[in-house]
Every structure is written in structure tokens, then in C-alpha cells.
Amino acid sequence: MRHPVHAIAAAVITTACLAAATAYSPRAMTQEIHAMPQTSPASIKVPSTHVQSRLRDVLVDGEAAILTRHVRSDGRNQALGGEHFSTVVSAAGVLKGFTHMGMDLAGRHLPSRERSEAIARSFLQQHAPDLLPRMRISWIEPHDEPLTVQRGESAETIQLTGMKVKARNLADNRWFWVIVGADEQVMVFERDIVWVSFPGHRKTEKWLHDNWLETQGQPASKPRA
């Protein structure tokens, strides 16, 4: 029998968090679903280019959550470090974050700081409105994320660059950010990040970061019992 927490989190993922990463993409949209109230009152869509691979139970700062990973249905660059979009949602139904890594986003023009902030605020209004009232932006700058792609018989690491809108929630002093990529797509969102000031490091687990998963000796995903 499934644990109630698993059932709640799985239901939220099915209805709310599978495609938050593509809420602002004009491409490859087919299936429309409706988000749960805890995450967003708006409709969001699932991209036709990706399929769900696996789920795994995780802990985020001691809180139960579900990591869901999607890979391209054509199998392109789906190994660890490659193309994917993944979500983390708490058992309470809160979208803790997502990442959308795709080589189609590389080498494209980025929006201005002003436009990036506007896109970030619009995204937060739909998917994390509780963060807006006491949001303090720290900086808005270009940010690189590594992506491993296959070039014939060899692998190559390229950089996906987005405009990172990094902010602090003054209500609890935790960090959050939205990274706006090429063509004004939101490619990364993370919230409730705990930072340890001394010696200066992130405490919150990095379940959405393949390079972190690799250093932990863990696969990107695994079946749940």
C-alpha cells in the first residue's frame, strides 16, 4: 500500500507540476492540465517533446517531496547531465522548483534585465504568489548551466545561459530565483533555499542539478516502491 504522502505528492505532480517549466514556451505544447490551488490557479501545459521517465522520493530540508524527471521522447541526450526537465514538489503540493535543460536554448539572444524581471514576476504570480509580497531582488545577471550533448561518438559540454533573477524572501530569509532563458522562456525556478553564511554554502539539497546528483553517486532517478 502506498504511503499517503506518496499519493498526495503524486497527485499534485500529475495535475500541477509536470510542465511548470514550459509555462512560457510557445513551442511544442499539446496537453493542457489544471494546476492544484497550492501551486497555481492557472492552466499549464505539458510539452509534446518529453515523456516522464521516473519518480523518486526525496527530502528537501527534511521535508518529504517527489522528484519527477522527464526526458525527450526521441531519446536525445537523455543521460545524466543531458536534456531533461525535472520538477520537485512537496507532499503539501508546493512547487519547490523545476529545471528545463534543452540544447535548443543554447546560443540564443537573452532578454534585458528589465524584461527578465518582468517575466520572473509574472511567473511567480502564477506559480508562487506567496513569494512576491516580501521579495527583495539581490541581482539580475547572466548565469550558465552545463549541458552534456552527444556529438557523434563523443560527448561535449555546452553552456546554457539565462538571465538569473535572484531574490530573498524577507518573510523567512530564504532565497529563490527564476532563470529566464532564450526566447524569454523560464528555464529554472527554485525556492526556499537555505544558505549557511559560515563557512558559506548552500544547505538545501540540489535535486534538480545533475552535476550534484553525480557527485552524490546517485542516478538521476529511480523507481519508487
Side-chain angles (χ1 to χ4, degrees), residues 12 50 52 57 75 88 103 108 119 132 160 210:
V12 172
H50 287 65
Q52 180 178 303
D57 301 295
V88 173
M103 63 182 296
R108 296 178 179 268
I119 293 169
L132 287 170
L160 299 184
D210 278 7

Side-chain angles (χ1 to χ4, degrees), residues 189-203:
F189 165 62
E190 291 191 83
R191 63 170 293 164
D192 304 331
I193 303 301
V194 177
W195 184 263
V196 178
S197 297
F198 184 82
H201 65 89
R202 171 174 165 161
K203 175 181 178 293

Side-chain angles (χ1 to χ4, degrees), residues 82-102:
E83 296 184 86
H84 67 104
F85 84 78
S86 299
T87 62
V88 173
V89 58
S90 75
V94 175
L95 178 64
K96 305 291 278 189
F98 76 81
T99 184
H100 182 191
M101 297 289 104

Side-chain angles (χ1 to χ4, degrees), residues 24-46:
Y24 296 94
S25 172
R27 298 194 288 268
M29 301 299 181
T30 55
Q31 180 185 357
E32 181 170 336
I33 57 179
H34 293 280
M36 295 289 284
Q38 299 97 323
T39 305
S40 167
S43 295
I44 53 179
K45 298 178 188 250
V46 177

Side-chain angles (χ1 to χ4, degrees), residues 195-215:
W195 184 263
V196 178
S197 297
F198 184 82
H201 65 89
R202 171 174 165 161
K203 175 181 178 293
T204 302
E205 296 85 352
K206 300 181 181 180
W207 294 113
L208 294 172
H209 299 254
D210 278 7
N211 54 358
W212 182 81
L213 291 175
E214 189 172 18
T215 63

Side-chain angles (χ1 to χ4, degrees), residues 8-225:
I8 292 170
V12 172
I13 289 174
T14 301
T15 56
C17 297
L18 293 181
T22 56
Y24 296 94
S25 172
R27 298 194 288 268
M29 301 299 181
T30 55
Q31 180 185 357
E32 181 170 336
I33 57 179
H34 293 280
M36 295 289 284
Q38 299 97 323
T39 305
S40 167
S43 295
I44 53 179
K45 298 178 188 250
V46 177
S48 61
T49 53
H50 287 65
V51 293
Q52 180 178 303
S53 54
R54 296 185 180 181
L55 307 176
R56 67 177 295 173
D57 301 295
V58 298
L59 290 176
V60 180
D61 294 315
E63 180 182 7
I66 299 293
L67 169 64
T68 307
R69 186 180 182 92
H70 300 76
V71 296
R72 289 181 56 92
S73 58
D74 61 10
R76 187 178 78 181
N77 301 320
Q78 64 176 238
L80 190 68
E83 296 184 86
H84 67 104
F85 84 78
S86 299
T87 62
V88 173
V89 58
S90 75
V94 175
L95 178 64
K96 305 291 278 189
F98 76 81
T99 184
H100 182 191
M101 297 289 104
M103 63 182 296
D104 295 338
L105 303 177
R108 296 178 179 268
H109 179 72
L110 296 176
S112 66
R113 289 176 173 81
E114 293 76 14
R115 181 60 180 156
S116 297
E117 179 180 348
I119 293 169
R121 287 184 180 276
S122 178
F123 175 85
L124 292 169
Q125 184 62 54
Q126 289 193 7
H127 299 288
D130 61 297
L131 296 177
L132 287 170
R134 302 202 64 190
M135 171 184 180
R136 175 184 288 175
I137 294 177
S138 179
W139 46 260
I140 304 174
E141 298 290 345
H143 174 84
D144 291 336
E145 292 285 348
L147 177 68
T148 302
V149 300
Q150 198 69 26
R151 306 287 194 189
E153 297 298 320
S154 60
E156 175 186 346
T157 298
I158 64 175
Q159 299 297 326
L160 299 184
T161 304
M163 293 295 288
K164 184 172 185 177
V165 182
K166 183 176 181 179
R168 178 177 286 187
N169 181 7
L170 298 181
D172 59 14
N173 284 322
R174 295 190 176 194
W175 292 91
F176 63 97
W177 46 79
V178 175
I179 301 179
V180 182
D183 297 336
E184 301 191 343
Q185 297 181 70
V186 174
M187 55 185 278
V188 175
F189 165 62
E190 291 191 83
R191 63 170 293 164
D192 304 331
I193 303 301
V194 177
W195 184 263
V196 178
S197 297
F198 184 82
H201 65 89
R202 171 174 165 161
K203 175 181 178 293
T204 302
E205 296 85 352
K206 300 181 181 180
W207 294 113
L208 294 172
H209 299 254
D210 278 7
N211 54 358
W212 182 81
L213 291 175
E214 189 172 18
T215 63
Q216 302 299 304
Q218 301 182 38
S221 58
K222 66 179 181 181
R224 294 165 56 219

